[in-house]
Amino acid sequence: MSLFDRPSAATATSRVWEVGALCRAIADSLEARFNPVSVRGEITGFSRAGSGHCYFSIKDVAGQLRCAMFRRAASALDFLPRDGELVEVRGKLGVYEQRGELQLIVDSLQRAGQGALFEQFLRVKAQLEAEGLFDAARKRRLPVMPRGIGLVTSAGAAALHDVVTALRRRVPHIPVLLVPSLVQGAEAPASISRALQQLYGLAQRQGEPGVPPIDVILLVRGGGSMEDLWAFNDERVARTIVQSPVPVISGVGHETDFTIADFCADLRAPTPTAAAELVAQPRQVWLEGLSLVQQRLQDALLRHIDRQGQRLDAATQRLGRPSQHMAQQRLRLSQLGQRMRYGMLMKVQRQAQAYQALEADFSQKTQRQLQRHRQRLEQLGLRLELLNPQRVLERGYSVLTTPSGQVVSRVGQAPVGAALKALLADGRLDVTVTQPKLL
């Protein structure tokens, strides 16, 4: 066995770790050395799961750290975190063993230096929105085929290269007028406003000799932090944008970046390249559209010629044989006369049948009505007979009266010795009261 075949002492005594055990050991080391820990960085990839847990990363120019903020801690937030915000987080470092990833379990999160900028952004946004600068009613549609495009951006920015490349590729025939401007720093808002005003002046002089046409304006800048894009949140820039005589497209930052200029512009594009593509329908598309329109016009013309030819043939046939047309009209007139006579006959028959039915029905109804009245008269006679006083007397009752004819209905009206008359069913009796008794 050679020297190279024999294991070293370090190799012979080294430990072979299980993956999970090594992850736990690393987590224990992090727990003992760092936790709790506070970190400052910029939020990226923020998302909130249906469970209420939040997941995101914080980064700076030198690194990036994955973070998880569980629902109980997330419920204590007094603001909605957004990508690009500079924040300070406090929590505990650990290892997500299922993936072997370092992560920070966040217990608290608050805005850092950018917090004041964000609050200022919200204040300016609310003020301008209340003044109506963001109203959809004042937004204009983009021209379908602009004669010229105005461009405001930094002369040395990558956004300029992206926009020019897109326009050159898609619409090389449309002239583009660049008015360079600062897009970052304290002097940027004034510079942007001056560049826009210069393009506005040219747009308002369209038609004059030597003045390039401007039908739409692109205001673009590449991505960056909120501080980098702050010039596009300036109130002066916002008010200048809404004064534009032609539509303005804002293509500032990346897709997740929003500035006040985006809300004031007639249209927001997610990137500078997208802004260029919105006004640069490729030349081939227009050529294909023209070819399609030409084909449709040709087809429509041929169909129209065919229809007119058919109408001409039909008219020729009618003019060539007028006797046939007259015969058809006579036949139709004869048919209409027969239908009219048959209709009148049927109507007379229906009226006669209806009269006969009414006559028969009237006689029957009259007989039934007389029968009902006769029966009702007999019933009333019987009821009246039942009320005859004579029938009551025949059942054994009598009527007592005084000699003057007053009816006696109570014992108190007939004292002892009083002379009364009793009316019976077949005559009268004279009676004398001997001994009255009460029931």
Side-chain angles (χ1 to χ4, degrees):
M1 179 181 296
S2 67
L3 179 63
F4 297 100
D5 293 332
R6 290 180 296 176
S8 65
T11 303
T13 59
S14 63
R15 175 181 176 181
V16 178
W17 290 83
E18 297 290 339
V19 175
L22 180 58
C23 289
R24 286 191 294 274
I26 295 173
D28 292 341
S29 299
L30 292 173
E31 174 71 26
R33 183 172 180 181
F34 292 99
N35 292 331
V37 64
S38 297
V39 186
R40 176 190 293 238
E42 182 180 307
I43 292 180
T44 182
F46 183 87
S47 65
R48 186 187 293 269
S51 61
H53 305 328
C54 299
Y55 302 96
F56 57 95
S57 297
I58 55 174
K59 66 176 183 178
D60 57 18
V61 294
Q64 182 169 307
L65 178 63
R66 294 182 62 83
C67 301
M69 190 174 192
F70 297 133
R71 181 175 58 186
R72 184 170 58 182
S75 63
L77 289 174
D78 57 356
F79 70 102
L80 178 62
R82 300 174 183 273
D83 286 359
E85 285 190 276
L86 186 64
V87 296
E88 291 182 0
V89 298
R90 181 176 177 83
K92 296 179 180 179
L93 281 173
V95 176
Y96 185 43
E97 298 177 7
Q98 284 77 3
R99 295 181 180 175
E101 294 180 351
L102 177 67
Q103 70 173 1
L104 178 64
I105 305 300
V106 178
D107 295 326
S108 65
L109 184 150
Q110 62 184 7
R111 292 192 180 102
Q114 187 173 288
L117 284 180
F118 190 72
E119 294 295 337
Q120 183 178 352
F121 168 82
L122 294 179
R123 285 195 300 271
V124 175
K125 179 176 178 292
Q127 175 188 345
L128 297 181
E129 185 174 12
E131 294 181 18
L133 271 65
F134 302 164
D135 288 350
R138 54 160 295 274
K139 303 298 177 75
R140 293 158 295 191
R141 299 183 63 178
L142 300 182
V144 177
M145 185 181 295
R147 296 169 299 168
I149 301 173
L151 176 60
V152 176
T153 189
S154 173
L160 174 60
H161 177 268
D162 295 340
V163 170
V164 171
T165 300
L167 294 177
R168 186 177 298 163
R169 182 182 70 251
R170 297 167 71 93
V171 285
H173 60 285
I174 297 180
V176 179
L177 178 60
L178 170 66
V179 179
S181 167
L182 298 176
V183 294
Q184 184 174 338
E187 301 299 326
S191 180
I192 294 172
S193 297
R194 286 194 301 270
L196 289 172
Q197 291 290 358
Q198 183 176 344
L199 287 176
Y200 296 169
L202 294 174
Q204 292 171 340
R205 294 171 50 200
Q206 291 191 56
E208 297 182 11
V211 177
I214 302 293
D215 289 335
V216 65
I217 296 175
L218 305 182
L219 177 61
V220 300
R221 186 208 190 281
S225 64
M226 178 171 281
E227 292 93 336
D228 297 336
L229 306 178
W230 190 249
F232 296 89
N233 293 321
D234 191 274
E235 183 177 346
R236 291 170 293 176
V237 174
R239 296 188 184 280
T240 303
I241 290 174
V242 299
Q243 296 171 3
S244 175
V246 296
V248 176
I249 301 177
S250 172
V252 179
H254 300 303
E255 187 171 358
T256 56
D257 296 324
F258 280 89
T259 65
I260 290 177
D262 296 329
F263 297 105
C264 294
D266 295 276
L267 187 65
R268 173 191 178 265
T271 63
T273 301
E277 292 175 347
L278 287 173
V279 295
Q281 194 70 256
R283 183 168 177 263
Q284 185 60 32
V285 173
W286 291 111
L287 293 176
E288 292 174 356
L290 287 175
S291 178
L292 179 61
V293 170
Q294 179 185 4
Q295 186 62 44
R296 288 180 176 176
L297 287 174
Q298 184 176 349
D299 294 342
L301 180 59
L302 292 176
R303 287 195 300 269
H304 180 72
I305 292 174
D306 292 340
R307 285 194 297 268
Q308 295 303 319
Q310 290 177 352
R311 291 183 60 188
L312 181 60
D313 293 341
T316 302
Q317 292 178 359
R318 288 196 298 269
L319 291 175
R321 290 180 291 176
S323 58
Q324 182 179 358
H325 181 69
M326 293 293 294
Q328 292 175 350
Q329 295 299 323
R330 289 194 191 96
L331 177 61
R332 177 169 175 76
L333 183 60
S334 176
Q335 291 174 347
L336 290 175
Q338 292 178 1
R339 289 173 60 185
M340 184 177 67
R341 287 192 295 271
Y342 178 76
M344 292 297 297
L345 179 61
M346 293 300 296
K347 185 174 182 180
V348 170
Q349 292 178 354
R350 285 195 297 269
Q351 294 293 338
Q353 292 174 357
Y355 175 76
Q356 294 174 0
L358 287 174
E359 185 178 9
D361 187 55
F362 176 76
S363 177
Q364 294 176 1
K365 286 185 177 179
T366 302
Q367 293 296 328
R368 288 196 296 269
Q369 189 74 5
L370 289 174
Q371 182 67 22
R372 284 197 298 269
H373 284 306
R374 190 178 292 110
Q375 292 175 355
R376 179 169 176 76
L377 184 60
E378 292 176 356
Q379 292 174 357
L380 291 175
L382 291 175
R383 292 174 63 184
L384 183 61
E385 183 63 26
L386 291 175
L387 297 176
N388 189 349
Q390 185 64 29
R391 302 285 84 77
V392 178
L393 294 176
E394 289 176 355
R395 290 200 300 270
Y397 294 94
S398 63
V399 179
L400 295 175
T401 61
T402 62
S404 61
Q406 183 180 1
V407 177
V408 178
S409 60
R410 298 184 181 279
V411 175
Q413 295 176 324
V416 176
L420 302 175
K421 293 182 180 296
L423 177 62
L424 301 176
D426 56 351
R428 295 178 182 274
L429 294 177
D430 293 331
V431 297
T432 301
V433 178
T434 59
Q435 187 177 359
K437 292 184 180 181
L438 296 172
L439 295 179

